[in-house]
Each structure stands twice: as C-alpha cells, then as structure tokens.
Amino acid sequence: MELFELTVYELQEKIKKREISSEEIVKSIYKRINEVENTIKSFITLADEKNILENAKKIDAKNEYNGLAGIPYALKDIFCTSDFRTTCSSKMLENFVPTYNASATVKLREQDAILMGKLNMDEFAMGSSTERSAFHLTCNPWDLERVPGGSSGGSAAAVAAGEIPFALGTDTGGSLRQPAAFCGVVGLKPTYGRVSRWGVIAFASSLDQAGPITKDVRDTAIIMNEIAGYDSLDSNSLDVEVPDYTQFLNQDIKGLKIGYPKEYFQEYVTQEVKDAVINALKKYEELGAVVEEVSLPYTEYALPAYYLIAPAEASANLARFDGVRFGYRDTNAENVLDMFKQSRSAAFNNEVKRRILFGTNSLRSNNYEDYYLKAQKVRRLVRDDFTRVFKDYDVIVAPTTPTTAFKIGEQINHPIILYLNDIITVPVNLAGLPGMSIPCGFSDGLPIGMQLIGKPFDEGTLIKAGHAFEQSTDYHKAKPAVGVK
C-alpha cells in the first residue's frame, strides 16, 4: 500500500514510530496528484512542489511529531489564505490574495500540517454539484461522468481519489455532507458556532459552518480536535468546552436511542438509498441500539424556508463585491453606476445572480413580512421539531441524499430539481445542529451516504455512533478504481 492511500491516523502512527518522514508522504501525494488530477480536477490552485518539499524537510528536522505535523491537507477555496489566492471559484475573485488566514487554517498551520492547495467548489458555495465553478468541472472519482456533489465537491473528490488525506470544506445547506455521500467519504458539519467561521468568505452567515472531510470517522475525530473551539474573532463562535473527540471511538453503543424520521424516507428518496439506510439501522439494532420511528412534521417546509433565508443573507454578503472594494472591475464603463452593474454582471454566474435577486426581493419592505419573516418563523418550528425528538433520542438517522451521484449536466438547467438534492440536509442547518455523512452502501457501483444528526455540541455521540458502524462494516474501506491500486 502506498502512503497516499493511508488515513491521517495511519500516517501519524508511522511518523511517530519514525518509519516514514513527512517528505516521503509529500512525494507520494504529489505522485498521486500527477496521476489523477488531470482526470478528477479537484484543485484550483496547487502548491509548488519544490517549496512544499522544503517545508516538509524543515518539519522532519524538528524531530517533534505532535498533532498533525507533516500531514498534508487542502482547503475548499473559500478559506482565506495569505499564500494562496482565494477565488471562491468565481471570476469576481479570480486574482484575490487575502492578507490574512482563516482561523481554522491558522490552527492547522500551528500544528505544522502542510497546506497543499485550494480545492474547487460551486461559485460562492451556491450549488449541489461543483458544476458552477468559473474554472472547471470536478468529476466524481467513482464515475467520471458523474458530479462529486457540491459545493465542497473538490474537497470530497480529492479525499476520495487519494489526492489528499483530509480537507476542510463548508456546509450552508449540506455542502459537506452531500458531496461526502456522493464520493463515499466522511463529512461532518459541526454545530453552528463550534468551528470558527472567521476568514471564511460568507455565503449565508447564519447557516455557514466549516468542517472536515476525511476517509473515516477516526480521522474526523482527530481533525475536530484541532479545529474546534472558541474564537474571539468570530462573533458567533460559542465558548463551549471542547472534548477530546477521540475518546468517543471504540465505545459500546448498547442502549443508544436512535430515531429515524418517517418524513426523510418519502417517495423522493430512491429505493436503493432507503434500503441501504434501513439495513444500516438493522446493523445498529444488532449492535444493541434501540431504533424507533419518529416524526419531524415541519420537514416539508424546511427547503422553501432555506431558499428564502440563504439568498436573503447572500444578497447582503455579496454586496461588497462591486469592483470598488473587492473583486473584478469592468474598466470600460462610462460612469460609476455602470461600472457596478457591468462588473457584477460579468463576474457572477447565473446561479449567483438568481440567488441575489431572490434574496433582494424577499427583503423588500413590502415583501419582508410575507417572505423573509415567515421563513424565519418556519425555521424556529423546524428547530422545535428536533428539540422535541432529542428529549427521547440520542441520534437521528436518515439518508444524506435522495439519490446517488447524478450525471454531469443532467440537472444543471433545472435549478428546482438541483435544489431538491439538499432536501434532507437543510433542516440541520436551519436548526444549527451537527450532522455527519458516512458511507453505508453502494448502488450500481456508486456510494450511498447515511446522515447522523445530533444534539447541539454533541458531535461526540455522532463520532461514537459512526465509528461503531464503521467497525462492523467495510463500506468506508472501498476505494474508487480511478487508478487506485
């Protein structure tokens, strides 16, 4: 087995025992990237190999192997980095190099983790397929004719293809969990406020949350130990004690109460996905968990509410990209007003424009109470649904997505159909809860994801339940055939 195939934990163990060096890991990662990147196209910006190898040698020379020292990783291109451009996959920020680093990346740098580059995404995180990047498409490593999901599609594809041991992404309505499900890897959206959003370019500020994409649940626990915690720079960061997430690994789940909402197994979910998740629930029963059907009746209103709240916040957040303060500027305009209009028209894609228009319309004074305010009231009802169920249950289990990965181009001209891909993930964002997708089966060679939803700040129970499932199955060990030995 080559080094690029190993998990973060396996690499850590070999480094600690001095069986391998960081330089050897980096060489293996570049070898893998050179083999598959032209096919997968996960990266927007890849670090210079010579510089990264020099960095790895310096880390090896320290002879202190703690935390993530010497472990390569990559970032969704929405995290600000002072040594790489941060594009948000948009022409608007094509050449933008921030003067600072996002807090989550600062923590990884302090651990001497090695940043290998920035990963493709849907422009400004608006999409479910990574087809809406201004740079290029990213392909699903399991089937090159299919999408990797979105908007963190580059992150999920890179981890699944062995181009990187782990990556960070963001999740506004399912953007970590949906691509993780499509690519057969683990994606965790932490509780809102658990991981700092400072330095992450905002899409919808009350919904955005950063989190890890990894090869298995153990690695998720390891990465969460490094990135979770209070940050005074983020006004919505919460000062809640962070546990050692690895203590939740290898725990007995006998008596764990699992609820599965009947509303998440409706006709819009394919039979193959339903069967895989139901089989997973049977596995949990074999492991001693108590599994019962529950109801979340306001689920059907979550998606419409999300598509009022998220665009409204996006319309405000993206107002700063006007060619003056930030972003692309049309230099042919005859006056300032035309410069604003022509810069934004030329640099935003149609999906971004559509959401800005939706959001601006819902915030108009004569629409505010009928649309935006009503959506916020629905958001509270969705949250109350979860609060009621969590009085009696420890974890909620559901499919992550209604289907497996769809073909490239199949839904790109049908925005409503594309929005439905997030129908099972958006309620978690509206309620601010943690949610994790783990592989639970395959259909026609494509991965199926199972979503575990937890109480606020109870990521540990998700890790406990997810790891118990992994220890009794092999779905997380399967690898796509795109050149992987």
Side-chain angles (χ1 to χ4, degrees), residues 308-309 312-313 362-363 367-368 370-376:
L308 281 165
I309 295 169
E313 294 184 11
S362 68
L363 291 176
N367 288 339
Y368 179 81
D370 289 338
Y371 295 106
Y372 184 74
L373 186 59
K374 192 170 289 184
Q376 291 287 16

Side-chain angles (χ1 to χ4, degrees), residues 80 105 109 116 135 152 360 370 459 480:
C80 286
T105 69
R109 286 169 187 266
M116 300 285 290
F135 298 96
S152 305
T360 304
D370 289 338
E459 290 85 0

Side-chain angles (χ1 to χ4, degrees), residues 263 296-302 378 381-382 385:
E263 291 84 2
L296 298 169
Y298 287 103
T299 292
E300 66 176 299
Y301 306 110
V378 170
L381 294 172
V382 170
D385 259 358

Side-chain angles (χ1 to χ4, degrees), residues 152-215:
S152 305
S155 301
V159 174
E163 292 184 279
I164 207 77
F166 78 95
L168 296 190
T170 58
D171 191 315
T172 304
S175 294
L176 276 162
R177 292 160 286 158
Q178 189 249 20
F182 279 8
C183 292
V185 292
V186 176
L188 172 65
K189 185 208 90 70
T191 307
Y192 184 78
R194 176 59 104 183
V195 175
S196 174
R197 296 180 301 109
W198 195 83
V200 178
I201 293 177
F203 161 18
S205 302
S206 74
L207 301 164
D208 298 339
Q209 183 58 72
I213 289 183
T214 62
K215 293 178 180 176

Side-chain angles (χ1 to χ4, degrees), residues 73 139 186 249 288 315 349 412 423 437:
Y73 73 103
C139 299
V186 176
L249 302 170
S315 70
N349 74 21
I412 192 69
I423 193 168
S437 180

